[in-house]
Structures are given as C-alpha cells and as structure tokens.
C-alpha cells in the first residue's frame, strides 16, 4: 500500500500549523514548528503571492496530510462525497473521519494517526467480530471495534489503558478501555469535527 515516507514535521511546517502527526512530540517544545514556524526549504521564509488557487490547494494538502491520505485516494473520497445528498465538503470530512485508523486515533488507542494506521495494518483490531487490517475501512453507526484478545497486552494498548481519560474523546465515539473496545454511536456532523480545514475551498478546487 502506498504511503508517505518523508519527514512528518516538514509537512506541518509546510502548512504552517500543527497537524499532530507525531503524537506527544507535537505538544512539546521539541516540535520543529515552535522554533521554525515557516515552510521548509531555502525559500521557506519568502512570501509567495497567495492566489485563490494556492489557497485552495493548501487546504486540500492540509486535509490530505492531516488524515494521511494520498492524492488518488483523496480524489476518490471527493467523488464519493459529491455523490451524497449533503454538502460535499462536509461529507468529505465525514468520510475521512470514519476511516478505521482515524477512529482508533480519536478514541485514544493510538498516539497519532500514523501509529493507528500501523496497528490496524498489523491486524490488531476486529470490527463487529471480524478481523480488519485495512486502515481505510469505513466504519458505520453501531459498529463495535475491539482489540484482538492476543494483542491487548501489547505496549501500545497497555499505555492506552493507563492514559484513559486524559484525551478528549468526540461524543460520536465511546471507548471502553477496560475491554479495549470502541463503540461508534453515529458519524460526526461538521460542527463536532475539530480539523482546522476550510472544506469549501477544497470543493472549489475540484469544481474547476
């Protein structure tokens, strides 16, 4: 499966905001964005002309990098969102939020989406009793996600249980750390998605 292999912190610097790709490092003084709050590269300190297209492109890149999705898959998500009856931008974010790796991260079972993606790919989770090792698997309301019994004593999950309650969990999810389960009550509406992206600019970009 194709994936980004470059430095995560460069992606945050390129967007000039924290995308929280490195877990606890993003909240510490070690975050490169704290000392170098400008894009990487020799022209990073320059001020490129902010055209309408550039603003739209940056919002798309920001969404892709936040959720760890590459261009081809992101385009497919947009096509699917455009088919749905709601607002295309909001439906796009709803699709991204319902990815299994994002749900694992949101529920506090992983420090970052990258970590959640790896845990899912290694087959540590079941959805409704069936093993799922596809990070892009889309959950639906009433789904029950659980860590496989043979994996519950692995270090990431031991840490997740120990730190339960320290992270704010969105209301549409209900993690049960003692049983290493996640209940999906519904899919999130736009007002409860805290991703800092202007989805309408993404729609405008794809509509050209």
């Amino acid at each position: 499966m194709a994936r980004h292999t470059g430095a995560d912190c460069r992606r945050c610097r390129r967007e000039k905001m924290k995308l929280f790709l490195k877990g606890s490092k993003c909240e510490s003084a070690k975050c490169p964005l704290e000392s170098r709050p400008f894009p990487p590269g020799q022209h990073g300190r320059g001020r490129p002309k902010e055209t309408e297209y550039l603003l739209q492109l940056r919002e798309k890149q920001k969404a892709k990098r936040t959720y760890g999705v590459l261009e081809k898959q992101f385009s497919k998500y947009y096509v699917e969102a455009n088919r749905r009856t709601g607002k295309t931008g909001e439906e796009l974010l709803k699709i991204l939020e319902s990815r299994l790796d994002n749900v694992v991260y949101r529920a506090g079972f992983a420090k970052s989406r990258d970590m959640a993606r790896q845990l899912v790919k290694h087959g540590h989770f079941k959805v409704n009793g069936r093993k799922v090792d596809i990070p892009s698997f889309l959950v639906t309301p009433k789904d029950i996600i659980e860590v496989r019994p043979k994996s519950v004593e692995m270090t990431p999950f031991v840490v997740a249980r120990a730190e339960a309650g320290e992270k704010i969990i969105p209301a549409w999810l209900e993690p049960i750390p003692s049983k290493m389960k996640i209940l999906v009550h519904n899919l999130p509406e736009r007002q409860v998605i805290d991703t800092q992206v202007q989805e309408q600019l993404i729609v405008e970009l794809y509509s050209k």
Side-chain angles (χ1 to χ4, degrees):
M1 182 179 71
R3 63 187 180 89
H4 174 81
T5 57
D8 288 331
C9 294
R10 287 177 66 88
R11 290 189 283 175
C12 292
R13 288 180 59 207
R14 184 65 192 84
E15 304 307 331
K16 293 187 283 189
M17 64 177 290
K18 293 186 179 184
L19 303 179
F20 297 97
L21 305 176
K22 297 292 287 184
S24 57
K25 180 180 178 180
C26 298
E27 301 172 359
S28 72
K30 294 182 179 180
C31 176
L33 196 63
E34 298 288 347
S35 58
R36 291 173 289 175
F38 48 84
Q42 68 180 92
H43 302 296
R45 293 177 184 269
R47 293 185 178 181
K49 183 179 179 181
E50 293 192 345
T51 63
E52 180 182 35
Y53 173 76
L54 181 59
L55 292 174
Q56 294 167 348
L57 179 63
R58 290 266 58 86
E59 289 304 307
K60 184 193 74 167
Q61 295 296 88
K62 191 187 303 179
K64 283 172 49 184
R65 289 166 173 172
T66 296
Y67 290 97
V69 178
L70 298 182
E71 182 64 38
K72 186 176 181 180
Q73 191 170 36
F74 193 86
S75 297
K76 288 181 178 179
Y77 286 155
Y78 179 82
V79 171
E80 172 60 26
N82 199 31
R83 288 198 191 106
R84 298 188 179 186
T85 56
K87 294 181 179 179
T88 300
E90 294 182 6
E91 291 299 323
L92 175 61
L93 287 181
K94 190 179 293 187
I95 291 172
L96 292 168
E97 282 288 313
S98 61
R99 284 173 54 102
L100 180 56
D101 55 358
N102 179 74
V103 171
V104 170
Y105 164 70
R106 290 288 195 191
F109 283 17
K111 295 286 188 179
S112 67
R113 288 184 178 88
D114 278 352
M115 179 180 177
R117 188 173 302 114
Q118 185 179 50
L119 291 173
V120 173
K121 285 175 64 179
H122 288 182
H124 298 305
F125 289 91
K126 294 192 296 183
V127 178
N128 300 328
R130 299 183 64 180
K131 176 184 173 182
V132 176
D133 57 5
I134 303 172
S136 60
F137 177 89
L138 300 182
V139 304
T140 57
K142 310 304 179 184
D143 277 354
I144 299 175
I145 302 160
E146 58 188 321
V147 177
R148 298 179 70 194
K150 69 175 186 179
S151 303
V152 293
E153 295 305 321
M154 290 179 57
T155 300
F157 302 122
V158 172
V159 172
R161 288 197 295 274
E163 297 181 351
E166 296 182 7
K167 179 179 179 179
I168 298 176
I169 309 299
W172 58 284
L173 296 175
E174 181 186 347
I176 307 176
S178 60
K179 297 183 179 179
M180 294 309 291
K181 287 186 179 182
I182 306 168
L183 307 182
V184 181
H185 294 307
N186 47 57
L187 297 184
E189 297 301 325
R190 178 62 182 102
Q191 58 267 27
V192 301
I193 299 175
D194 62 3
T195 304
Q196 297 180 42
V197 63
Q198 299 179 61
E199 65 274 10
Q200 184 56 35
L201 292 179
I202 301 175
V203 176
E204 292 172 4
L205 177 66
Y206 277 106
S207 298
K208 290 183 176 180

